[in-house]
Amino acid sequence: MRTAEATRPSVVEPGIHKYELTFPYPSLAGWRWPVVDIVGQRPGPRLAVIAGVHVNETSSIEAAIRLQRAFAPAALTGRLSIIPIVNLPAVPLRTQYVCPLDDKNINFSFSGQPDGTFAEAIAWALLEDWARDADCFVDMHGGDLCENVAHFTVAQMIGDAAFDARNLDLAKCFDAQIVARLDPSHLRQPARSCTGRAQRRQAAAFAEGGRIGLIEEENVAYHVEGVQRIARYLGMIADAAPKRRQPAIIDRYLWIEAPVDGLYRYAVEPAQKVAKGTVLATAENTYGETLATVTAPEDGHVLWRITHALAPKGSFIVGLGAS
Ligand SMILES: [Zn+2]
């Protein structure tokens, strides 16, 4: 069987290497991922960075492009590897959330399946082939077409003090308003890339920040500087921009559902601190009559909210981080 390594040109020489990556799994046949490897003058750690699991989260894709110019080989120890757009099949129709080939969300498909559908196979290929030897894996997200997302990071915990402390350090490299720790129960089912990496006892950071498909400087900088701080943390570069915030740490990620089909008017914004009972949104019918009021089930911080007024019953309208 061919391996992904066999299709990859040599990237050991110091410099900036641009090429297309292929993987030997049936559902990925014919797809070619543009990638960049920046190889430093001195050998050292490898940092693997992806964006575009959700193709409308363009501030994070823009960050993956700018990162290619933010690291000079002469000043770099080790290797920075970047895939700016993972979900290539979603590009033509700007598909939200899922891969249109299998209707699965790559974001919740890790650690994947080599013989699975596209979403499952690319999840597997990223962790098993592309980033297997990476010292840290960074997955950048934030702000699909109908979302406004706080600057937050997700850190997977496994119950091992040293591993968990390192993953939390990596999450805090981003200047996040909120850091969400995921407890080890997440390791049992398909999940985010940071959880898939933790299943392998490998370090990862997962960053969210952006809104409604826009490239915005504040959100791009959040992602770029976060990756630079991780590179500094790993000893790959000498310096990075200072942080300005102390994040709130939360341990539970609550998905708040729309209780009825309706037109929702939101009363909160991302990163807002809310108390139990705070009104998050009200739902109306098309006569402007109130159908329901959605309140915070407990104290917490708003991780994100949907921006589009229309929401079907049972869809998620607010992400809430709770202690
Ligand atoms: Zn996303």
Side-chain angles (χ1 to χ4, degrees), residues 9 24 34 59 84 108 201 270:
S59 280
F108 295 103
R201 296 186 77 86

Side-chain angles (χ1 to χ4, degrees), residues 54 57 141-142:
H54 298 136
E57 299 176 3
H141 283 257

